[in-house]
Amino acid sequence: RRKEKSALRFSLFIGFYRSTDTQTVCGWSLAYGENKQNKNPYGYYHCSKNGQGLRQCSMHYIRYDVLYAYVLARLQYWSMLAQKDEDNLLKRLLNASDRERNSAKKKQAAELKKAEKRKAEVDGLFAKMYEDWSAGRITEYNFNMLSEKYQNEQKELETKIRQLHETMEAAVQTAADAEKWIALMKQYVNPVELTAELLNTLIEKITVHEAVKGEDGSREQEVEIYYRFIGKID
């Protein structure tokens, strides 16, 4: 039975946890281990980049029970909000990035208008140049040289315009993504335990930072949860 519990602990967060150094994100997954030397043995996750003997990252870790309790508490919190006040939760999710999103939207709209205006100008110049070449007002050499120049600029502008449209459409999708996540959250009313299904449905990844010890010996550790569709909201 103890082996079954260890296997469950090992597999539960597989694919979700990532370790980060104090200064740089190492990007490696955390490996599961057990401290059996303590009076009360416990499971924990540690940075696999350090654990494989590479020593390229600090030996930071987090206890299984601490991570489990934190993730469960956050999901219970969001579940409670989704059940009790869906409208305010939606506003909270959207307002969290509204200012940044609106600023970016204005900038993108201005860039799009400028690119579309220049594209119309280049199209007009290209058409006028063709008329001049047909009428013999410019040489074929000059026509070919200018033609290549205008065609290259047309392609660059078309790519930029397409990318700006895609970016602006993605920003509009934010509201739909928030609603989608809330709908998923409402399916899990006050979860009392973590399961692989629950984590796969609601969470994209979990990032664990190295713990910082205070002068009084206390230990503080940052854990970031990135939820599906909406990213980090804590």
Side-chain angles (χ1 to χ4, degrees):
R1 182 172 297 179
R2 184 170 180 178
K3 288 184 178 179
E4 290 177 356
K5 287 183 178 179
S6 295
L8 175 62
R9 290 177 176 180
F10 173 77
S11 63
L12 183 60
F13 290 102
I14 288 295
F16 291 101
Y17 43 75
R18 291 290 183 272
S19 59
T20 73
D21 187 70
T22 307
Q23 298 179 348
T24 59
V25 178
C26 74
W28 282 51
S29 62
L30 294 172
Y32 180 77
E34 290 188 343
N35 186 334
K36 299 178 181 179
Q37 297 177 347
N38 257 32
K39 182 179 181 181
N40 298 313
Y42 61 84
Y44 65 95
Y45 296 110
H46 62 87
C47 178
S48 58
K49 191 172 186 178
N50 178 280
Q52 290 185 3
L54 299 176
R55 305 301 177 188
Q56 295 177 7
C57 196
S58 58
M59 182 54 183
H60 48 293
Y61 73 97
I62 187 169
R63 286 178 55 143
Y64 168 84
D65 54 351
V66 172
L67 180 62
Y68 186 103
Y70 177 73
V71 174
L72 179 59
R74 297 314 296 162
L75 291 179
Q76 288 174 336
Y77 172 74
W78 295 118
S79 173
M80 179 269 295
L81 291 183
Q83 307 301 328
K84 290 187 175 182
D85 203 342
E86 179 180 345
D87 290 339
N88 276 337
L89 176 56
L90 180 59
K91 289 179 182 178
R92 178 174 174 179
L93 295 179
L94 295 178
N95 289 338
S97 58
D98 254 356
R99 184 177 302 175
E100 182 178 349
R101 188 168 59 250
N102 288 337
S103 176
K105 186 178 179 180
K106 289 180 180 178
K107 183 179 179 181
Q108 290 159 2
E111 290 181 4
L112 179 60
K113 184 178 180 180
K114 183 179 179 181
E116 289 176 335
K117 181 181 178 181
R118 178 56 185 169
K119 175 69 166 50
E121 290 175 353
V122 173
D123 290 345
L125 289 169
F126 191 88
K128 178 66 168 58
M129 182 188 64
Y130 184 81
E131 292 176 1
D132 289 342
W133 175 70
S134 298
R137 288 190 287 269
I138 64 172
T139 65
E140 185 171 354
Y141 172 81
N142 285 336
F143 172 78
N144 290 333
M145 181 180 65
L146 292 172
S147 177
E148 182 179 2
K149 174 186 175 183
Y150 287 141
Q151 285 179 334
N152 288 337
E153 187 173 2
Q154 282 175 324
K155 289 179 182 178
E156 290 175 1
L157 288 168
E158 286 171 358
T159 300
K160 184 175 184 179
I161 290 170
R162 185 183 70 254
Q163 290 175 341
L164 284 168
H165 275 296
E166 290 174 353
T167 301
M168 294 174 75
E169 287 172 5
V172 174
Q173 187 66 26
T174 301
D177 287 341
E179 293 175 350
K180 190 182 298 183
W181 186 77
I182 290 176
L184 287 174
M185 195 72 252
K186 290 178 69 176
Q187 295 178 18
Y188 298 91
V189 181
N190 190 30
V192 295
E193 66 175 346
L194 295 182
T195 63
E197 177 191 357
L198 182 66
L199 293 175
N200 277 294
T201 301
L202 299 174
I203 295 177
E204 180 182 345
K205 68 177 180 178
I206 300 171
T207 300
V208 177
H209 291 253
E210 184 177 7
V212 177
K213 289 187 178 181
E215 295 181 357
D216 59 351
S218 61
R219 188 174 186 271
E220 293 185 3
Q221 189 165 22
E222 182 181 2
V223 175
E224 298 174 298
I225 302 176
Y226 292 82
Y227 300 94
R228 292 200 181 278
F229 306 114
I230 57 175
K232 188 178 73 169
I233 54 177
D234 291 26

